[in-house]
Structures are given as structure tokens and as C-alpha cells.
Amino acid sequence: MHSILILFAHPALERSRVNVRLAAAARDLPGVTFHDLYQRYPDFDIDVAREQELLESHDIVVMQHPFYWYSTPALIKEWEDLVLQHGWAYGSGGTALAGKTMLNALTAGAPEEAYCRVGRNRYTVRELLAPLEQTALLCGMDYLPPFIVHATHTLDASDIDRHAADYRRVLEGLRDGVLDRDAVKDAVRLNADLDVALPATEEG
Ligand SMILES: Cc1cc2nc3c(=O)[nH]c(=O)nc-3n(C[C@H](O)[C@H](O)[C@H](O)COP(=O)(O)O)c2cc1C
């Protein structure tokens, strides 16, 4: 069983419709540590030693967040700038994260078709996440295609429940080491077809 650290970042959780439900589906899973960064660091005063300890004691790091300006909320950037230190995460002797896995799990207001060459956002979400992917690779991590919930404003409660169930299924698959990484490596999003990525559930 692999341990999962969810770095959760939503600056306005009281207004969240989707992340709040994804978080509820994830936080009680055995093997998952749910770490709410905005709750823990409302003043951006990040405890670097604590964050590094958390990273060292988990195998898989999930950054869960809404897509803000084609990127993460600001606290994740601050977290990266402070926590991923030279000589610890990268550079000479910096091997603390080597061999671990990273996943972005994000929600986006725009629909999937907006995120392509001819769409209004011109790039795929995966392309826009390139700084995070390359950061993970520089640290020797394995970077998975992002888990993405699109068109958040159009989703009704049952749509959100379905995405929350998918998110839980992905986390269970990662935890249990049964997610087929080769099968999804070029997927535009990890949750495009979970039946390709994960073994069939008992229901089918
Ligand atoms: C400051 C801000 C920036 C945003 N930037 C984007 C964006 O770049 N692309 C996008 O698709 N949606 C964008 N959105 C929409 C959010 O991604 C969307 O409201 C959120 O994912 C919904 O999740 P929630 O219900 O958990 O808040 C933005 C919203 C805010 C408030």
C-alpha cells in the first residue's frame, strides 16, 4: 500500500461547489493524509520543516486545487518556492522526492473543448501545467496526467457526485498500486477513461 499526501489548496472554500465534494470523498480514505494548506497557513507563513517531513513520509503527492489563471492558487506557488529547497528536493544531494509520484487534481470553470489548439484557451491543461510537471521531473518524481473536472459551473449535484466517486477510485488505485501508468501516460486527463486506467470494480 502506498501512502498519499493531498496538498489541498482552495482560498475560498466556503464558496466551493466541487472541490469541497472531492475533498469529502478523499479525506477519510485509509492511506490518505489530507492537508489543507489555506487552513493551515492563512498568512502564507509556511512551516518548511513540517512540509518536508510530510513529503518524506508519503509516496504519492496530490495537489488538489481549482484552476486559477491557468495555474494553481497562489499558496501552492509559495509552498513550492519555500519547500522544494536546493540540496533537498533537487541539485547536489537533493533526492528527498526521487521515486515519488505527483498528480495535479484540479477543477476548471471552462469546458474541455476550450483547452485545445483551436479552443479559446489555446493549450491543453496538461500543457499549461508544464512548470509543475517539469518541477516534479527535476525532483526525480513520476508525473501523472492531471485529474480534471471541467465546466464546474454547469455541473449539477449528481455530476459532482460522479466526479467525486471517480476521484476516490483514482486515489484508491494509486494507493493500492493498481493504476496502469503506461495505459494513461499520454491521456489528456487521467479520468478520461478510468476503465482503461484501473481494474474493473465489482459493479462492472
Ligand atoms: C481567481 C480565479 C481564476 C480562475 N481562473 C480560471 C482559469 O484560468 N481557467 C478556468 O477554466 N477556470 C478558472 N476559474 C474558475 C475556477 O477554476 C472554478 O470556479 C473552480 O474550479 C470551481 O471549483 P470550486 O467549486 O471548488 O470552487 C477561475 C476562478 C477564479 C476565482
Side-chain angles (χ1 to χ4, degrees):
M1 179 160 125
H2 302 294
S3 53
I4 301 179
L5 174 64
I6 299 182
L7 299 173
F8 179 71
H10 196 308
L13 195 53
E14 68 287 353
R15 291 200 295 275
S16 168
R17 293 176 65 236
V18 185
N19 278 283
V20 74
R21 300 281 282 282
L22 298 185
R27 64 189 316 154
D28 66 335
L29 265 181
V32 168
T33 303
F34 188 84
H35 186 37
D36 185 338
L37 291 174
Y38 275 93
Q39 184 186 57
R40 180 76 174 73
Y41 304 118
D43 302 319
F44 280 46
D45 189 10
I46 292 173
D47 181 343
V48 172
R50 172 78 188 122
E51 294 304 308
Q52 291 182 345
E53 276 169 26
L54 275 171
L55 288 167
E56 283 170 2
S57 61
H58 290 82
D59 305 309
I60 297 167
V61 180
V62 177
M63 286 182 178
Q64 185 193 329
H65 55 91
F67 212 30
Y68 274 10
W69 290 116
Y70 308 109
S71 184
T72 66
L75 184 53
I76 289 192
K77 183 63 167 62
E78 180 75 351
W79 179 96
E80 288 179 290
D81 293 353
L82 296 180
V83 176
L84 303 180
Q85 290 176 334
H86 183 268
W88 182 82
Y90 71 101
S92 177
T95 56
L97 302 176
K100 297 182 190 289
T101 294
M102 172 151 154
L103 169 71
N104 284 96
L106 63 94
T107 61
E112 184 148 39
E113 58 270 22
Y115 285 100
C116 68
R117 199 67 64 234
V118 295
R120 71 171 185 269
N121 291 323
R122 299 178 52 235
Y123 300 95
T124 67
V125 173
R126 174 117 190 223
E127 287 168 341
L128 292 163
L129 289 171
L132 287 154
E133 175 167 0
Q134 182 52 31
T135 297
L137 296 184
L138 184 71
C139 297
M141 302 176 85
D142 187 19
Y143 187 81
L144 294 170
F147 179 100
I148 310 172
V149 178
H150 278 288
T152 52
H153 310 299
T154 69
L155 302 177
D156 65 21
S158 64
D159 296 326
I160 298 172
D161 281 347
R162 190 169 39 79
H163 288 297
D166 284 350
Y167 185 42
R168 191 176 167 96
R169 211 177 141 200
V170 164
L171 293 171
E172 286 173 332
L174 284 169
R175 179 197 62 192
D176 299 340
V178 296
L179 185 122
D180 186 341
R181 295 177 186 229
D182 278 344
V184 297
K185 69 178 174 17
D186 298 322
V188 64
R189 57 186 169 91
L190 187 57
N191 49 328
D193 184 354
L194 285 187
D195 293 331
V196 167
L198 292 164
T201 56
E202 273 166 35
E203 306 89 74

